[in-house]
Amino acid sequence: MDTRYVMQRDSNGWRIQVWTSFAIAVLLAGIGVINLPGAELDRAFLAIGFFFCLFSSFAVAKMVRDNRDGPVDTPAWVLTVWISFGIAVSLTAWGLWRMGIPTWQKGYVACSWLFLISSTFTLAKLIRDAQEADLMERGSLKPTP
């Protein structure tokens, strides 16, 4: 029996929306951190936390996608990726929680932070889908049923 696979590419509108959302998330998170009142050290801590969350989100997205059809990475690597993501989120949340700013400002920063993480996962998926579609077209990647 001949098995056929449908390769569906994302539309230009979707690609524009994903990239725009990611850019807006980075911009809003940056503006939020820069304009927060309080000590420069608190803002620096939060900025580092946001970058840590950003990069660890990309690492989680890649690791999950790499291992979706079966284990590819070592259990130690999988654990390392999840622990770093958990630490990034936990430390950033702790830093935000202990900042001496009004609750509404913490809410703004928390929303922009979660928007940043969410748009990072979406962007990672968009990029990986495009790469896999390119590989399938060239015959370098065999789809799994």
Side-chain angles (χ1 to χ4, degrees):
M1 174 179 221
D2 186 25
T3 304
R4 298 192 187 270
Y5 297 94
V6 176
M7 179 178 49
Q8 185 173 341
R9 290 214 178 250
D10 293 323
S11 68
N12 284 335
W14 175 248
R15 285 191 296 274
I16 290 168
Q17 179 181 338
V18 170
W19 278 103
T20 302
S21 293
F22 180 74
I24 290 171
V26 171
L27 180 69
L28 290 179
I31 289 171
V33 169
I34 289 169
N35 290 313
L36 276 176
E40 288 182 12
L41 189 58
D42 285 342
R43 289 194 304 273
F45 178 87
L46 205 53
I48 291 169
F50 277 22
F51 276 113
F52 191 15
C53 287
L54 177 74
F55 297 131
S56 65
S57 295
F58 276 120
V60 166
K62 181 182 183 329
M63 184 272 304
V64 167
R65 189 72 173 256
D66 286 349
N67 292 280
R68 73 173 175 207
D69 297 326
V72 175
D73 295 321
T74 64
W77 176 248
V78 172
L79 186 63
T80 299
V81 169
W82 280 114
I83 287 173
S84 70
F85 180 73
I87 289 171
V89 170
S90 299
L91 285 178
T92 304
W94 172 78
L96 179 58
W97 174 74
R98 63 161 288 284
M99 286 183 76
I101 58 175
T103 303
W104 73 268
Q105 289 175 340
K106 288 180 184 182
Y108 171 84
V109 173
C111 284
S112 64
W113 171 44
L114 295 176
F115 182 33
L116 178 67
I117 291 172
S118 173
S119 65
T120 300
F121 283 121
T122 307
L123 179 61
K125 182 182 181 327
L126 176 92
I127 292 169
R128 188 66 174 263
D129 286 350
Q131 179 211 18
E132 288 182 354
D134 290 344
L135 289 173
M136 284 179 72
E137 279 181 353
R138 289 194 309 257
S140 303
L141 178 70
K142 302 295 183 210
T144 56

